[in-house]
Amino acid sequence: MMRLRHISFVVLAILYANTNVSGQEEDIYKTDPNILEDASLDPFSLIRKYGYPCEIHRVYTEDQYILEMHRVPHGRENTTQGPKPVVFLMHGLLSSSAEWVLMQPGKGLAYILAEAGYDVWMGNARGNTYSRLHVSLNTKFSAFWRFSWHEIGYYDLPAMIDYVIKETGIDKIHYVGFSQGTTVFWVMMSTRPEYNEKIVAMQALAPVAYIGNVRSPLIKALAPFTNSLETIFKILGTNEVLPNGKINELAGQSLCTEEAITQVLCTNLLFLICGFNEEQLNATMFPVVLGHTPAGASTRQLVHFGQLYKSGKFVQFDHGWLGNKRRYGSFKPPPYNLSAIRVPTFLHYADNDWLSTPKDVDKLAKEAPAVIGKYRAPLDKFNHLDFVFAIDAKKLIYDRIMNIMARFN
Ligand SMILES: *[C@@H]1O[C@H](CO)[C@@H](O)[C@H](O)[C@H]1NC(C)=O
Ligand SMILES: *[C@@H]1O[C@H](CO)[C@@H](O)[C@H](O)[C@H]1NC(C)=O
């Protein structure tokens, strides 16, 4: 935790140093103290600051991780109470529930859904800024970090979904996932198909299952190391993924230019992996995004994605042939069963997405019979993070999603 905050401050400091040199952006940051405050507030305080109600809920998983959920039960203008549709939002890799509220009311999806009459619940995966507790382990133990996104799908999602259903008294809830927030959904449905009965419909933003066609330079640079876990763990630090010099060296040259803002984004692991679209990223909001990401993940999450990239398959974690035999009873890790998904599923993808490429999304759509809609973001340059941070995300993506969701209410 300390380290995470420390790094965020360093990033902010670099931001200041750079903007002073470049001069042009100087005013933007100096004139809006609000923005700086937003960069340091947790989701609860951020949501309250903008006049929305927020609740914090603690959820225990079967394997004793303690997760923090954030709920926005109604809007600021639309304060309708009582029985209303419930939506669960699941963030992406290296991120947290903050993802849905970093952009201000009218822009962030959680606010938009609350005003549209939804009871909004946001999950936090084990290991991120808000889910770092366990009944008997702490984050200093490597045992705490012995999970991939498989465990997030198998333990965290069912625990949070059951909790929401119990708390609201509603039988079925909407699911909206972004990136890894979709991966964990496929994992859950494949390994615990009984959860099909608990979801109304699935909106997958930048869906990630097959990633053989990834265009992200960082993932391509790391891929050769995935066979050797030790190497990866050494490069990334022991258990938890945080930005460090080695990663910047690896991807830096190919990605970054001299411009101040670009340099700042290039020292942030999230942007290193996903890239960014300058036209749709509001520069004024950079400090807010950088203040909240990366929000922590286990190295295994990255290694597991690396394995998918290399194999072109959507399979469980590869522990090596002996470990696989012991764990799965087969020398190869078993594939996730996409036919087990029965929830009406809608995929939202973009042409310029480095991680969730059109080719891989097509493959997912072909193999998952539950996919009944596939929608392209109507903008050529739309990239991965634009699904949550783009200036025009509402117009380009969210309005359509809410139209689809409304058909089920
Ligand atoms: C960028 O963010 C600032 C602060 O929230 C806002 O005032 C401005 O309108 C945004 N710009 C665009 C193009 O959306
Ligand atoms: C995958 O799920 C479908 C639907 O539940 C089932 O019919 C099929 O047998 C499963 N396949 C495997 C390999 O488990």
Side-chain angles (χ1 to χ4, degrees):
M1 196 69 168
M2 284 298 291
R3 208 172 148 205
L4 201 69
R5 281 192 192 285
H6 176 70
I7 282 163
S8 298
F9 272 112
V10 170
V11 170
L12 280 175
I14 294 171
L15 186 71
Y16 268 109
N18 281 335
T19 48
N20 283 339
V21 171
S22 79
Q24 217 173 9
E25 279 84 16
E26 194 174 352
D27 288 348
I28 306 175
Y29 302 106
K30 290 234 164 115
T31 51
D32 203 344
N34 249 348
I35 297 296
L36 265 191
E37 186 179 58
D38 287 7
S40 65
L41 292 178
D42 60 27
F44 176 82
S45 315
L46 193 57
I47 293 165
R48 299 284 288 240
K49 172 180 165 182
Y50 286 103
Y52 282 76
C54 183
E55 297 170 7
I56 294 178
H57 292 263
R58 285 255 152 87
V59 178
Y60 288 72
T61 70
E62 221 176 279
D63 59 345
Q64 303 193 314
Y65 284 81
I66 303 168
L67 312 175
E68 185 170 307
M69 293 191 75
H70 298 126
R71 176 192 197 185
V72 181
H74 59 76
R76 194 167 58 178
E77 273 89 51
N78 180 353
T79 57
T80 323
Q81 313 269 340
K84 56 200 304 194
V86 176
V87 60
F88 175 77
L89 308 182
M90 193 60 191
H91 64 79
L93 180 68
L94 292 165
S95 193
S96 73
S97 57
E99 191 167 84
W100 310 107
V101 292
L102 287 189
M103 299 299 134
Q104 295 170 1
K107 302 265 188 196
L109 181 58
Y111 296 123
I112 292 172
L113 286 169
E115 295 299 357
Y118 287 89
D119 179 359
V120 181
W121 291 76
M122 292 168 274
N124 277 305
R126 58 186 59 194
N128 85 7
T129 315
Y130 310 104
S131 293
R132 299 171 71 84
L133 295 174
H134 184 276
V135 170
S136 57
L137 299 171
N138 80 40
T139 52
K140 290 195 196 81
F141 297 145
S142 53
F144 180 96
W145 296 103
R146 215 165 286 143
F147 63 83
S148 153
W149 38 261
H150 175 87
E151 284 72 18
I152 297 171
Y154 187 80
Y155 294 111
D156 296 359
L157 279 192
M160 292 190 283
I161 288 167
D162 284 341
Y163 182 93
V164 172
I165 285 174
K166 186 159 154 268
E167 199 69 11
T168 57
I170 298 275
D171 317 331
K172 280 185 172 217
I173 63 178
H174 285 275
Y175 187 106
V176 178
F178 166 61
S179 190
Q180 180 192 266
T182 70
T183 316
V184 294
F185 183 88
W186 323 130
V187 170
M188 173 177 69
M189 290 311 181
S190 166
T191 53
R192 300 188 186 229
E194 63 275 20
Y195 278 81
N196 278 294
E197 312 307 324
K198 304 186 183 193
I199 304 294
V200 181
M202 159 62 160
Q203 308 298 329
L205 306 183
V208 171
Y210 296 104
I211 54 169
N213 291 296
V214 151
R215 287 159 58 204
S216 167
L218 179 66
I219 295 198
K220 288 185 174 214
L222 290 178
F225 302 99
T226 40
N227 270 352
S228 160
L229 276 180
E230 270 62 44
T231 314
I232 282 282
F233 278 55
K234 258 182 221 149
I235 292 175
L236 297 178
T238 35
N239 302 305
E240 187 181 5
V241 184
L242 286 166
N244 74 24
K246 287 224 176 70
I247 295 174
N248 295 344
E249 263 168 45
L250 267 178
Q253 301 93 346
S254 56
L255 255 158
C256 302
T257 73
E258 295 304 316
E259 284 172 60
I261 287 297
T262 320
Q263 282 291 354
V264 172
L265 294 183
C266 281
T267 58
N268 184 294
L269 186 54
L270 188 71
F271 290 93
L272 272 177
I273 294 175
C274 305
F276 53 93
N277 169 7
E278 277 172 277
E279 282 167 30
Q280 284 291 318
L281 260 189
N282 184 343
T284 311
M285 300 302 285
F286 283 168
V288 185
V289 174
L290 298 176
H292 289 87
T293 49
S298 71
T299 41
R300 272 202 187 178
Q301 281 169 257
L302 271 198
V303 171
H304 198 171
F305 276 128
Q307 293 175 350
L308 297 194
Y309 170 68
K310 275 191 83 178
S311 69
K313 294 176 178 158
F314 184 44
V315 295
Q316 293 200 34
F317 195 88
D318 190 344
H319 294 275
W321 65 272
L322 200 61
N324 291 340
K325 183 78 185 149
R326 204 163 42 220
R327 196 172 294 247
Y328 308 123
S330 55
F331 290 118
K332 289 190 170 161
Y336 292 108
N337 185 0
L338 293 169
S339 306
I341 308 164
R342 281 181 277 113
V343 172
T345 297
F346 301 85
L347 307 181
H348 307 269
Y349 73 100
D351 283 347
N352 189 39
D353 192 327
W354 292 1
L355 294 184
S356 172
T357 59
K359 245 186 172 169
D360 287 330
V361 172
D362 261 345
K363 189 165 182 194
L364 168 63
K366 285 201 186 88
E367 296 201 8
V371 172
I372 55 177
K374 185 156 113 20
Y375 305 94
R376 175 184 165 273
L379 187 71
D380 290 343
K381 283 193 178 164
F382 211 80
N383 197 345
H384 199 66
L385 292 171
D386 287 337
F387 282 95
V388 281
F389 297 144
I391 290 169
D392 296 318
K394 178 170 186 298
K395 191 178 79 190
L396 297 173
I397 309 287
Y398 302 159
D399 284 343
R400 180 157 55 199
I401 285 181
M402 288 192 295
N403 281 337
I404 299 171
M405 288 167 68
R407 285 191 242 147
F408 292 88
N409 294 334

